[in-house]
Amino acid sequence: MAENHVALLLTPEGWELLSSLPPYDPSEALSLGRSLREEGHSPALVAAALTQQRLRERAAAKFGPFAQQMLFTADGLEQATRLTVSAHHAARYAAAGVTKVADLGCGIGGDAVALAGLDLPVLAVDRDEAAAALATINLMPFPHASVECADALEIDLVARGVDAVFADPARRAEGRRITDPEQWSPALSQVLALRETVPALGVKVAPGIDHAALPADAHTQWVSVDGDVVEAAIWCGPLAPEGPGRSALILRSGAQGPAACTLVDPSTTDPSQPPVQVDPIGSPEDLGSIIHVPDGAAVRAGLIAHLCETLDARPVGPRIGYLTGERLPDEATAPFVRSFRLTEVLPLRLKALRSRGRELGIGRLEILKRGVDVSPDALRASLRLSGQESETWILTRVGDKAKGAVLVVVCGPRALDAPPAAQLVEAGFDALAGGQLEVVAEPGAGRGHVLAARVGRGHVQQRREVEDVVGPKDRLDVAQLVLTQVRAGLGGLARVVEVIEDGRTLGAHDDVRAVGLEFLVDLVANVEHDGEHGCGHAGAQRDGQGDHQVAVAAPREGAAKHSEKHADPLLREDR
């Protein structure tokens, strides 16, 4: 929006018109604009108001309901920090006990709003007159916030009573991103020099910043929101209670508000040093049954080696951020990786992939890729998908020779909540103290699965098909799970869960979920709601209200099945 358009909206007529507009509807925009002009509003004012109406609709993704009371420009909105992220910024300043924060390069005032929302006095500064005007409007609800149109480096911070700074250097010029931090405005070195007078300094930087450009004595944190890496920030002095290093902050939207998880590698104390590289697997035959896809923030933060150690995993290829192993993530690590069960390894050849799509009736295909020069959209178009089934493919380089391959995976672990009809397997459970109850899940004739209860290796006690649990594409192979009740050493009755394969006990624990995490199954208690197929991490399904354990498990698979030796890649790979 041009500067004069901003000025038009700041007039009484402009503000009244903007406030009267309904929520943005693209199908009604033309007719609304025509009717407003017919009412006597100038074309320039109508254009400014309708543009702002559209920007507010887009801004709701970053600012929620607050967007309807704010003003934006297209560039300012694109560069503004999301409210969920700026709230975490503000929390650092509040925890550090600072008394006044200067937001240098405030733009439309997104971070200043979050700081002022915690009752911190804020001085917001931007040299762009239009941006400063918008920030003034957006900060109007906060009397302890002020805005100045000035060069950020010309502000006398000490004289203004500032004891903390948040800086957001301009990283674009003529619509292009600037990758060299010394070409930012102001340059990163100039911003970092402010620590000589104000040690409490935070700097928003590009997620792709070279680690060598980071100050060795600061803490740099990369942030992702719902899987998208949105920023990195350098925190200095009292704003970095973690001490020097690198970390990843993962924010996930949820019904109860955003959830936040932080991953820190305690062995990294100098963020400017290059991340430790882990040797990849030697060949496709070394692939484990599980593929982990780390969150982009963890990858950018150089935490792959730390995740490999935690998961007992290795990269699938040289400098590839996909990991493979046999261990599922524990509760603390699960937010930072998306885990899959590997089912097949295919050559990266168009003819073979097209044939698979046709034979399996694949119509929906999720494609993840790293390290190969293949466009997922172009590949989907080339495959001519037309079926009803779905699959997930990971396109990447595998082994130390970095051959291109397609890893066919399923959301893992597969999990299934037992619906009310499945509760029949509980019959006589209490009478089995000291005995065994075996639950078998196998493909049913229709869309559901057959659940059967056995005592030990005896005959089937009960058998009934459970309908509409999951679609045919998600049918489980035959899997066996033995639930055993034994008397505890102190006389109490405890339930111990054993996972048995080929007559061998693979694990036992009195916590049913702990066993599930170990063996790629999600074991659930008696559930009182409709069954549904879960595709999250183990342990993500809800516990039921019953006292008895009913479990339906996906089979534990060993090393992945390989369809054939790797051939030349489908498209030219990165060199």
Side-chain angles (χ1 to χ4, degrees):
M1 185 184 298
E3 183 177 334
N4 61 326
H5 281 190
V6 175
L8 287 173
L9 291 176
L10 297 181
T11 64
E13 180 189 2
W15 193 254
E16 182 179 359
L17 175 61
L18 181 61
S19 301
S20 69
L21 295 181
Y24 178 70
D25 183 348
S27 65
E28 299 291 336
L30 289 177
S31 60
L32 178 60
R34 183 168 52 252
S35 64
L36 291 175
R37 288 190 295 271
E38 291 173 352
E39 292 174 5
H41 298 291
S42 71
L45 177 58
V46 170
L50 292 180
T51 298
Q52 193 60 223
Q53 180 198 36
R54 184 177 69 252
L55 290 173
R56 282 180 168 181
E57 181 71 17
R58 288 172 48 195
K62 283 190 173 183
F63 293 94
F66 297 100
Q68 295 306 311
Q69 304 300 321
M70 299 175 69
L71 292 181
F72 304 94
T73 63
D75 289 343
L77 175 57
E78 181 181 354
Q79 298 167 24
T81 306
R82 300 167 190 245
L83 188 59
T84 53
V85 178
S86 59
H88 281 269
H89 294 171
R92 283 186 180 265
Y93 289 88
V98 301
T99 60
K100 187 174 183 178
V101 183
D103 183 358
L104 305 182
C106 67
I108 62 172
D111 276 287
V113 166
L115 290 163
L118 292 184
D119 292 329
L120 288 170
V122 179
L123 171 62
V125 180
D126 202 290
R127 68 179 181 181
D128 181 79
E129 187 174 343
L134 295 183
T136 299
I137 296 297
N138 296 336
L139 287 166
M140 283 179 61
F142 306 102
H144 49 287
S146 61
V147 181
E148 290 191 18
C149 183
D151 188 306
L153 296 181
E154 294 180 357
I155 299 293
D156 188 337
L157 300 175
V158 176
R160 303 299 292 273
V162 170
D163 61 353
V165 169
F166 179 78
D168 186 0
R171 297 179 294 280
R172 288 177 177 268
E174 299 179 351
R176 295 184 177 182
R177 288 188 176 91
I178 302 173
T179 57
D180 182 1
E182 289 308 299
Q183 298 302 314
W184 294 348
S185 180
L188 179 59
S189 59
Q190 292 178 302
V191 176
L192 292 175
L194 295 175
R195 293 183 295 175
E196 296 177 4
T197 54
V198 183
L201 172 68
V203 188
K204 182 178 176 179
V205 297
I209 188 172
D210 189 338
H211 290 174
L214 301 174
D217 58 347
H219 187 92
T220 304
Q221 185 172 81
W222 281 256
V223 183
S224 74
V225 179
D226 295 328
D228 294 328
V229 183
V230 297
E231 72 164 35
I234 300 171
W235 302 106
C236 307
L239 299 177
E242 309 96 327
R246 297 189 297 262
S247 65
L249 172 64
I250 312 298
L251 301 176
R252 293 280 188 267
S253 301
Q256 306 300 321
C261 300
T262 304
L263 181 67
V264 181
D265 182 357
S267 66
T268 301
T269 57
D270 182 351
S272 65
Q273 292 299 307
V276 175
Q277 298 298 318
V278 179
D279 291 335
I281 60 174
S283 70
E285 285 69 28
D286 296 325
L287 285 166
S289 62
I290 303 171
I291 301 295
H292 303 288
V293 178
D295 186 275
V299 176
R300 294 280 194 178
L303 301 178
I304 293 299
H306 179 58
L307 285 173
C308 284
E309 181 180 1
T310 303
L311 295 166
D312 191 20
R314 296 169 65 189
V316 301
R319 304 186 71 85
I320 297 294
Y322 296 140
L323 313 179
T324 184
E326 300 292 342
R327 180 186 300 177
L328 283 170
D330 57 21
E331 185 177 356
T333 310
F336 305 100
V337 293
R338 187 180 176 194
S339 298
F340 297 88
R341 182 161 58 88
L342 179 62
T343 61
E344 291 186 66
V345 180
L346 306 174
L348 193 53
R349 286 179 174 173
L350 179 59
K351 183 177 180 180
L353 298 178
R354 185 180 290 162
S355 176
R356 179 183 182 87
R358 182 174 59 252
E359 292 173 0
L360 298 183
I362 298 173
R364 299 181 306 280
L365 185 62
E366 178 185 12
I367 299 177
L368 308 177
K369 71 120 181 178
R370 280 181 186 163
V372 292
D373 189 14
V374 177
S375 165
D377 290 338
L379 177 57
R380 285 191 192 91
S382 300
L383 293 174
R384 305 165 191 165
L385 303 172
S386 61
Q388 299 297 316
E389 301 302 315
S390 64
E391 274 196 338
T392 299
W393 293 356
I394 297 178
L395 280 55
T396 190
R397 300 172 184 265
V398 177
D400 51 15
K401 295 184 179 180
K403 291 293 185 180
V406 177
L407 310 182
V408 181
V409 297
V410 294
C411 287
R414 287 189 185 273
L416 184 65
D417 281 355
Q423 295 171 12
L424 58 93
V425 300
E426 297 176 23
F429 188 89
D430 287 336
L432 295 174
Q436 292 181 334
L437 173 68
E438 184 175 83
V439 178
V440 177
E442 62 188 24
R447 292 175 58 83
H449 294 76
V450 173
L451 299 181
R454 292 189 178 94
V455 178
R457 296 292 174 183
H459 62 283
V460 175
Q461 294 281 340
Q462 295 172 317
R463 187 179 183 92
R464 178 176 175 183
E465 183 165 340
V466 180
E467 297 180 353
D468 297 325
V469 177
V470 287
K473 63 182 174 58
D474 292 320
R475 286 181 179 173
L476 305 176
D477 296 328
V478 176
Q480 294 184 339
L481 189 73
V482 177
L483 307 183
T484 306
Q485 282 189 325
V486 297
R487 290 195 176 278
L490 297 179
L493 188 62
R495 290 185 175 85
V496 174
V497 181
E498 294 183 315
V499 176
I500 295 180
E501 182 179 78
D502 298 329
R504 295 181 297 109
T505 298
L506 301 178
H509 201 283
D510 59 358
D511 181 353
V512 69
R513 290 191 182 279
V515 177
L517 285 171
E518 288 289 330
F519 301 102
L520 199 57
V521 294
D522 193 7
L523 312 181
V524 297
N526 187 12
V527 177
E528 300 294 337
H529 57 79
D530 291 337
E532 63 183 85
H533 174 243
C535 251
H537 297 292
Q541 303 297 329
R542 291 177 289 177
D543 284 326
Q545 303 301 316
D547 293 329
H548 307 306
Q549 302 289 359
V550 177
V552 179
R556 176 183 183 270
E557 301 201 6
K561 169 187 174 184
H562 305 295
S563 55
E564 59 178 283
K565 293 292 183 181
H566 292 286
D568 294 334
L570 168 66
L571 300 176
R572 179 182 60 81
E573 297 184 3
D574 293 328
R575 299 300 181 191

